[in-house]
Amino acid sequence: QVQLVESGGGLVQAGGSLRLSCAASGRTRYAMGWFRQAPGKEREFVARITYGGTTYYADSVKGRFTISRDNDKNTQYLQMNSLKPEDTAVYYCAAEAWPRARLGTAPRDYDYWGQGTQVTVSS
């Protein structure tokens, strides 16, 4: 069983930046991702990175967010730039326990989840 712990959330003004981290308790040999959930909304896909470093982004964050990972440290990151008030949400780290044939943009594609970290962007 892999445990995921996020950190780095907080309050930032629009246009600012934050960097989220997600540390895994064990080696994650497959894809990892980030999701977010705003109050009253469903959990939505943000970004995904394979073990080899291939990335995929939601259109809403493309060009502003960058996902990366350090396999030696069992950690993934989400660099968020040019933040907007609509980016406000609880951000969740996720990891696969086995590889999927799908693109990996749905919560059901991931087996391990962190507890979430709040990101609030003020206007």
Side-chain angles (χ1 to χ4, degrees):
Q1 186 77 8
V2 173
Q3 293 184 334
L4 305 175
V5 179
E6 302 100 334
S7 61
L11 174 64
V12 64
Q13 288 187 334
S17 299
L18 282 175
R19 188 193 194 207
L20 304 183
S21 299
C22 171
S25 62
R27 182 168 293 277
T28 53
R29 298 185 179 278
Y30 305 110
M32 299 184 74
W34 290 94
F35 286 75
R36 66 187 182 186
Q37 188 166 18
K41 295 188 177 181
E42 294 186 351
R43 191 168 297 191
E44 67 171 0
F45 170 77
V46 174
R48 166 184 169 88
I49 185 167
T50 66
Y51 188 80
T54 300
T55 58
Y56 184 74
Y57 297 92
D59 288 342
S60 59
V61 307
K62 200 173 296 182
R64 301 187 298 122
F65 291 10
T66 302
I67 189 172
S68 61
R69 66 190 289 172
D70 185 332
N71 292 329
D72 290 337
K73 295 182 178 179
N74 298 322
T75 301
Q76 71 160 344
Y77 306 94
L78 186 68
Q79 177 66 44
M80 305 184 293
N81 298 329
S82 301
L83 283 162
K84 305 175 181 179
E86 51 263 44
D87 294 318
T88 295
V90 177
Y91 283 70
Y92 295 92
C93 170
E96 289 181 342
W98 48 279
R100 305 298 206 276
R102 294 187 295 269
L103 191 56
T105 59
R108 69 177 184 272
D109 294 326
Y110 297 85
D111 307 287
Y112 304 119
W113 291 87
Q115 80 288 352
T117 186
Q118 177 70 45
V119 171
T120 302
V121 184
S122 62
S123 57

